[in-house]
Amino acid sequence: MASAPSKLYADDVSLLVVLLDTNPFFWSSSPLPFSKFISHVLAFLNTTLRLHQLNQVVVIATGYNCCDYIYDSSSATNQSSGTGMMPAFCSNLLEKLDKFVTRDEQLEKGGQEGGIASSLLSGSLSMALCYIQRIFRSGPLHPHPRILCLHGSPDGPEQYVAIMNAIFSAQRSMVPIDSCYIGAQNSAFLQQASYITGGVYLKPQILDGLFQYLSTVYATDLHSRGSLQLPKSVGVDFRASCFCHKRTIDMGYICSVCLSIFCMHHKKCSTCGSVFGQAQSDVASTSNKRKTPDT
Amino acid sequence: MNNGDGKRLNGEAEEEDEDDLDGEGREAWERTYTDERSWESLQEDESGLLCPVDDKILHHAQYRRRLRSLSSTTTASRIQKGLIRYLYIVIDLSKAAAEMDFKPSRMAVVAKHVEAFVREFFDQNPLSQISLVTIKDGVAHCLTDLGGSPESHVKALMGKLESSGDSSLQNALDLVHGYLTQIPSYGHREVLILYSALSTCDPGDIMHTIQKCKNAKIRCSVIGLSAEIFICKHICQETGGLYSIALDESHFKELILEHAPPPPAIAEFAIASLIKMGFPQRAAENVISICVCHKEAKGGGYTCPRCKARVCELPAECRICGLTLVSSPHLARSYHHLFPIMPFEDVAPTQHKLPKTCFGCQQSLLSSGSRTTLSVTCPKCRRCFCFDCDIYIHESLHNCPGCESLRHSKSVNTAEA
């Protein structure tokens, strides 16, 4: 990185941080097998590296129990040797990925809580942002970073605050978060992430053509995006989920002290412990007050 | 100064001579060098060449001390912050504001930093509102009404930068008091006065006005640009605000930005209550309808969940049914105040089994050259981070990447303990 002549950093040089979902619970039920998915992704990563000599790719695996860096093109040993690079790049990545998946499996404690098997998106997002900050620190001339989430697992509600923190931090440092969602239902987290940071959210219709989606939508650098017609958002779900029942609501009560969201009137805030006085004059609230017992 | 010199004169005459040289015999620019003694921190390497002073570690230590003092005050009690704030920024535009001790002038410096402050304020307090008030010719004027859009405030302020006449604290407080008594009881009422003048020219008894503000639970803070004034100190003491004096421009910036994070909520200042709010969904870009705010037909926008009216921007109050409309990201912006991450601990460089790279950014922790760079570790997940990541994580990200990438972080923690 530092050795590269700085004048070569034009505005079409990108740093692509790919967050790869490796959640075994998702892939075991996915219509697209993981091996096929990986072959699409490897081809895409190679394309990105070939688009510009100085393009940089970092891959972070998002597992069920942990997250880790599995590939960094700037630290790859034989990057410069032209012909030997392509197989080395793939085998490097696959080897690391293999190790990661085994480790992820070992960390599994068996006590899988029933229901949602989400991946640790908040962890890999945080790591990606830390890495990008390092690139920003490296000097006034650096590749333009962006994050691409290749995600399939459902959202984990317990990660809500952490993911939101990461999104706002990305927004502040102007890093777009692109997301390509391979799962069944739309992901509200990724929709919001892409909307807030100005990235692209896409849910491919035909998974067999994943490479085409990746190369036509996500391979473009930030500079050329201005002149392209990229997929537009089809409405974003901005509804909140209440803290008491985790229900998604479109109207609710907000604690004025800590901004916790509740779907009905409570006497005391469960987050900050403040005792509520008179609720805002509202017929519904007073009737609710009588009905709900102390929790 | 004179007194001190006089005393020493009795004892040692030589000392007096030196003092005289240090204090008065030199120009101001010389004195800064004498005080700082910057050459003493220079170091030589093995071959006798001068090394550049590495103040990164020093900066980092200062930063961590501040972080720790902040966290000790917040963890002591349950975290309650005044997140819904109604802030009046009073800007003194009397003749004193035209003085040029701050370059190019006091008011230009004030305006520049108020702009930065307003943006930072809305970033940290998404549901709060600001209004700008100016004092000129002894009269206070409301420049902008309470509102949540940074652009309109900044624009109004930049257009009105002229100074004249005297300054009047009482008139400003009376005006603000009149407005702030009308806001809902759950909101935190605050005034931030940026005061350039050294006097106040009041029509009546200012003590009476201060009592009125105190009774109305208005927290008044003052940042002075000249010298400390008793009446300002009195206002701040009585109403629970902060009084500070800016030494120079960078200090002023620091002082004003201290007011951006939400202050600790004081139970008696604002009554906690549940506010009914709506979370409208964003409509798709190709669905055209007429909005209630501009009465224009356009795509996008948000639909009020109660009366189905279309509004263009959030946060807003529905013009039809009066429901407060917010989006969940607005609320989520302030959640990091409620779930702060613990300050990281220092790692002794002698400790073995240190990981080679920073967990966050993969930067090598092994150091450039012979000295080992210091690293820090999260007390929960025990991952090591470099200094830069530490600052980024606590200042901007508000997530520990290590803790976030561990599913069973809680059980691991208890097992270790």
Side-chain angles (χ1 to χ4, degrees):
Chain A
M1 254 275 319
S3 60
S6 50
K7 63 178 174 187
L8 289 178
Y9 279 108
D11 42 13
D12 58 345
V13 181
S14 24
L15 160 69
L16 180 68
V17 185
V18 181
L19 311 183
L20 210 59
D21 191 0
T22 63
N23 187 350
F25 298 101
F26 164 73
W27 287 109
S28 60
S29 60
S30 160
L32 178 77
F34 189 62
S35 54
K36 270 199 177 164
F37 166 75
I38 282 294
S39 62
H40 284 296
V41 173
L42 283 181
F44 166 68
L45 294 183
N46 210 17
T47 323
T48 314
L49 285 174
R50 298 271 167 223
L51 271 175
H52 198 290
Q53 194 186 354
L54 291 171
N55 271 3
Q56 200 188 335
V57 169
V58 174
V59 183
I60 303 176
T62 315
Y64 179 74
N65 291 304
C66 59
C67 302
D68 206 357
Y69 287 88
I70 53 171
Y71 179 71
D72 183 347
S73 68
S74 71
S75 64
T77 42
N78 45 359
Q79 192 188 13
S80 49
S81 63
T83 48
M85 183 235 168
M86 159 63 185
F89 145 72
C90 288
S91 62
N92 254 349
L93 200 157
L94 288 176
E95 193 187 322
K96 280 273 195 69
L97 183 64
D98 202 44
K99 271 189 199 157
F100 172 79
V101 173
T102 331
R103 192 153 51 91
D104 196 24
E105 201 179 349
Q106 281 166 354
L107 280 169
E108 175 61 52
K109 294 227 170 84
Q112 196 228 326
E113 56 270 44
I116 318 160
S118 58
S119 324
L120 293 165
L121 181 63
S122 57
S124 55
L125 260 181
S126 307
M127 285 163 83
L129 286 167
C130 280
Y131 189 91
I132 288 170
Q133 288 301 313
R134 178 183 149 197
I135 298 299
F136 281 146
R137 283 195 299 267
S138 68
L141 289 159
H142 49 75
H144 293 272
R146 61 178 196 269
I147 298 176
L148 170 61
C149 300
L150 292 171
H151 211 72
S153 319
D155 295 339
E158 74 281 354
Q159 295 174 34
Y160 178 70
V161 174
I163 289 184
M164 279 304 180
N165 284 343
I167 293 175
F168 294 132
S169 187
Q171 186 197 21
R172 263 192 292 263
S173 38
M174 315 252 260
V175 177
I177 302 178
D178 297 328
S179 34
C180 179
Y181 193 70
I182 323 162
Q185 259 101 43
N186 273 323
S187 155
F189 285 175
L190 288 178
Q191 270 184 332
Q192 295 192 15
S194 297
Y195 178 79
I196 292 172
T197 58
V200 183
Y201 174 88
L202 186 69
K203 188 175 172 301
Q205 300 301 314
I206 304 153
L207 289 178
D208 283 334
L210 185 65
F211 173 72
Q212 197 170 347
Y213 286 107
L214 290 176
S215 55
T216 48
V217 178
Y218 299 108
T220 44
D221 58 85
L222 299 180
H223 185 64
S224 348
R225 282 190 186 190
S227 27
L228 288 174
Q229 278 283 344
L230 291 171
K232 269 190 182 163
S233 78
V234 280
V236 185
D237 192 349
F238 274 133
R239 285 178 302 170
S241 58
C242 69
F243 282 29
C244 39
H245 306 91
K246 303 274 175 214
R247 269 194 300 224
T248 308
I249 50 173
D250 59 3
M251 238 189 294
Y253 295 92
I254 312 287
C255 166
S256 69
V257 179
C258 65
L259 306 186
S260 303
I261 306 164
F262 302 103
C263 58
M264 56 171 87
H265 196 276
H266 290 262
K267 278 186 181 155
K268 197 174 172 219
C269 174
S270 55
T271 313
C272 68
S274 34
V275 180
F276 299 126
Q278 193 66 43
Q280 247 188 341
S281 55
D282 195 290
V283 191
S285 72
T286 45
S287 62
N288 256 338
K289 205 181 198 171
R290 275 183 220 116
K291 266 183 250 166
T292 49
D294 275 21
T295 41
Chain B
M1 191 74 198
N2 278 335
N3 268 340
D5 280 351
K7 270 178 204 161
R8 279 196 205 113
L9 191 77
N10 298 336
E12 292 158 275
E14 276 172 273
E15 179 101 314
E16 197 268 331
D17 268 342
E18 259 189 73
D19 256 297
D20 209 41
L21 260 177
D22 265 15
E24 286 134 48
R26 295 180 190 207
E27 301 295 333
W29 64 270
E30 283 179 308
R31 252 179 314 213
T32 59
Y33 287 104
T34 338
D35 293 345
E36 279 172 16
R37 292 174 178 270
S38 52
W39 58 86
E40 284 185 356
S41 57
L42 278 178
Q43 284 174 348
E44 287 176 22
D45 64 3
E46 298 89 32
S47 54
L49 294 170
L50 289 178
C51 299
V53 183
D54 187 14
D55 50 0
K56 199 171 142 199
I57 293 176
L58 200 75
H59 272 294
H60 190 260
Q62 274 174 357
Y63 158 76
R64 309 235 327 171
R65 214 174 305 134
R66 208 178 63 226
L67 193 74
R68 230 171 281 143
S69 69
L70 275 179
S71 74
S72 64
T73 49
T74 49
T75 47
S77 57
R78 273 187 109 161
I79 300 155
Q80 292 197 337
K81 297 226 168 195
L83 290 175
I84 303 183
R85 304 166 67 183
Y86 291 85
L87 175 70
Y88 274 84
I89 304 179
V90 178
I91 301 167
D92 174 13
L93 289 181
S94 62
K95 329 190 260 291
E99 285 202 25
M100 313 225 285
D101 50 352
F102 286 69
K103 300 289 175 218
S105 70
R106 284 183 186 173
M107 61 181 168
V109 169
V110 166
K112 185 172 132 200
H113 292 298
V114 164
E115 180 183 353
F117 170 76
V118 168
R119 291 181 202 285
E120 178 72 18
F121 180 87
F122 284 118
D123 198 50
Q124 298 213 24
N125 310 274
L127 293 181
S128 304
Q129 297 190 354
I130 279 186
S131 166
L132 296 181
V133 172
T134 55
I135 318 175
K136 201 188 277 185
D137 295 325
V139 189
H141 279 292
C142 196
L143 198 61
T144 51
D145 290 327
L146 277 175
S149 141
E151 301 309 322
S152 63
H153 293 306
V154 171
K155 219 175 119 193
L157 176 65
M158 291 308 166
K160 282 277 160 103
L161 269 189
E162 297 145 353
S163 68
S164 67
D166 291 316
S167 174
S168 167
L169 277 174
Q170 193 190 11
N171 279 341
L173 286 180
D174 271 334
L175 180 83
V176 170
H177 177 265
Y179 285 115
L180 275 180
T181 43
Q182 295 164 17
I183 64 150
S185 61
Y186 55 78
H188 282 257
R189 301 143 191 226
E190 289 173 64
V191 185
L192 175 61
I193 304 172
L194 308 172
Y195 208 64
S196 301
L198 274 175
S199 59
T200 165
C201 194
D202 296 330
D205 182 9
I206 190 167
M207 296 302 171
H208 180 66
T209 311
I210 296 174
Q211 274 310 314
K212 251 189 357 193
C213 290
K214 192 183 173 188
N215 294 339
K217 314 266 191 287
I218 299 174
R219 183 174 187 260
C220 305
S221 303
V222 182
I223 299 178
L225 282 95
S226 39
E228 188 174 304
I229 314 169
F230 169 75
I231 193 67
C232 294
K233 198 171 179 180
H234 184 69
I235 293 174
C236 299
Q237 272 175 352
E238 283 293 303
T239 59
L242 286 173
Y243 183 41
S244 42
I245 301 290
L247 299 171
D248 53 26
E249 187 173 340
S250 62
H251 189 225
F252 177 73
K253 186 182 169 195
E254 211 173 280
L255 290 176
I256 193 169
L257 287 180
E258 257 172 35
H259 290 270
I266 303 162
E268 56 181 311
F269 269 44
I271 303 150
S273 61
L274 281 176
I275 316 152
K276 189 155 192 176
M277 287 192 189
F279 304 99
Q281 298 208 39
R282 187 170 175 82
E285 295 296 326
N286 51 2
V287 182
I288 308 286
S289 78
I290 298 176
C291 70
V292 290
C293 29
H294 307 96
K295 308 202 170 44
E296 283 167 20
K298 47 179 134 175
Y302 305 85
T303 315
C304 169
R306 188 149 76 182
C307 65
K308 310 290 178 217
R310 179 70 70 93
V311 291
C312 290
E313 291 220 328
L314 294 184
E317 200 162 90
C318 176
R319 295 271 182 103
I320 309 293
C321 66
L323 187 67
T324 313
L325 302 175
V326 292
S327 70
S328 49
H330 274 123
L331 300 179
R333 250 177 212 284
S334 36
Y335 285 155
H336 71 82
H337 292 300
L338 308 174
F339 313 105
I341 45 171
M342 275 192 253
F344 291 170
E345 293 162 359
D346 280 318
V347 181
T350 50
Q351 207 172 317
H352 297 292
K353 271 170 50 186
L354 270 182
K356 283 193 190 106
T357 54
C358 163
F359 184 77
C361 67
Q362 296 290 293
Q363 189 146 37
S364 169
L365 287 179
L366 286 177
S367 85
S368 39
S370 54
R371 276 182 308 160
T372 42
T373 24
L374 296 166
S375 57
V376 287
T377 174
C378 167
K380 252 186 178 164
C381 63
R382 294 279 153 206
R383 301 280 193 194
C384 287
F385 296 94
C386 63
F387 281 173
D388 293 318
C389 278
D390 179 21
I391 293 177
Y392 173 65
I393 287 168
H394 284 94
E395 301 262 280
S396 172
L397 185 61
H398 306 295
N399 278 340
C400 169
C403 300
E404 288 307 322
S405 51
L406 272 183
R407 169 135 327 236
H408 300 287
S409 57
K410 268 184 191 160
S411 56
V412 166
N413 223 14
T414 46
E416 273 179 3

